[in-house]
Amino acid sequence: MNTELTVLKRDKAVSQGDTIRMLLNESKRSSRAVPIRRAFVQDTVPGPRLVTKPGSLRHLLRSPERLELFLLIHCVAARGPLPRGRVDGDWGVTRRSETWGRAAGISFATDGKASAAVSRHLAKLKELKLISTAPDGRMTRITKLHEDGSGDPYTLPSGNWEGSRKDIYFKVPFAYWEQDYYKSLTMPAKAMLFIFMSQRKPSFVLHKDKQFASWYGISPATVGRGIAELKAKGLLYEFLTEQYLDGSSIFGQSTGVRWALAAPFDLNVNKTDREAAAAAWTPEGVARTALRIASGVPVLSEALAPR
């Protein structure tokens, strides 16, 4: 996204990029990223056992504009002013329909027609129980709800892995908009990007089977196209090759590849994995790794054996 404001002309609307930049700046997010609960991508069923189900993301994949509208609402909507006697805000935001229309690519009209177009997308998000709306003068106040589509009020996710599974979240960096990925990526690529970010792992194995696709409520074709595009654009790269025991192999072992997201989408790593990665690069960690590798090589293993 161009960081310089385009030339302003009287009676001429600003560009989509300028409108998005305005909204990002108004969000006042020092982290330059938007937290989104994992439940938006893949929800969990309450209970002692981990049982998952597809999240609301699958319902937005046929409309790039609606997905962008949802993400931007989450970015801008902050805890509102507190009415007398209340201790919680409403996590709402009020902007003109023209602003939402330009930012999400829904409508660039300035003659009043943007209102109807934006309202149709807001109505769908309301149907999915991802937002609520209310009149605010001549405009509409949009309040974000819990990302799991339950209709519950929004709360700030804690990210505590020992707490509710519903509080695990990932971050969408502002670079998603600032570097124009919102325009250059197709919906299959966006779907896989959000799925991989939501895993919060430094690396992962790629799955293209029907079962994996069913976990997120998308088609195997979407998974395949999305992965291929992320690789082609350099956003998904081969992290390492590993060997593992495999009883179905004639040699009793197989080789697999682990993949990772490239910058700027490599920011979602859980605390445990982040600390383990940091420890691996200390002198002690490097020494332990070297000994583990050497123990698997006969010549080196014999040399290291006590005499």
Side-chain angles (χ1 to χ4, degrees), residues 138-150:
R138 294 186 176 183
M139 294 185 283
T140 298
R141 185 162 184 81
I142 306 170
T143 301
K144 61 185 178 183
L145 300 177
H146 201 288
E147 297 97 314
D148 64 358
S150 64

Side-chain angles (χ1 to χ4, degrees), residues 136-211:
D136 190 355
R138 294 186 176 183
M139 294 185 283
T140 298
R141 185 162 184 81
I142 306 170
T143 301
K144 61 185 178 183
L145 300 177
H146 201 288
E147 297 97 314
D148 64 358
S150 64
D152 291 340
Y154 179 82
T155 57
L156 194 65
S158 67
N160 185 358
W161 284 79
E162 297 179 353
S164 170
R165 298 188 188 114
K166 299 274 190 179
D167 266 348
I168 304 301
Y169 68 92
F170 62 99
K171 293 181 180 180
V172 179
F174 278 16
Y176 171 77
W177 293 280
E178 293 171 338
Q179 298 181 26
D180 289 342
Y181 289 112
Y182 75 99
K183 290 194 297 186
S184 63
L185 294 178
T186 65
M187 290 304 277
K190 289 181 182 181
M192 297 313 299
L193 178 65
F194 293 136
I195 287 172
F196 292 146
M197 285 196 296
S198 73
Q199 293 182 6
R200 296 187 60 178
K201 293 288 186 180
S203 65
F204 40 82
V205 177
L206 297 184
H207 300 277
K208 299 182 182 180
D209 56 19
K210 292 182 179 180
Q211 183 181 28

Side-chain angles (χ1 to χ4, degrees), residues 79-91:
R79 192 186 298 274
L82 304 181
R84 186 183 300 276
R86 286 187 56 181
V87 296
D88 60 324
D90 66 354
W91 296 99

Side-chain angles (χ1 to χ4, degrees), residues 10 42 50 56 67 71 91 180 225-226 235 253 291 295:
R10 188 183 299 274
Q42 185 185 53
L50 177 59
S56 298
L67 175 62
L71 293 173
W91 296 99
D180 289 342
R225 289 197 299 268
L235 296 177
Q253 65 175 356
L291 285 173
S295 64

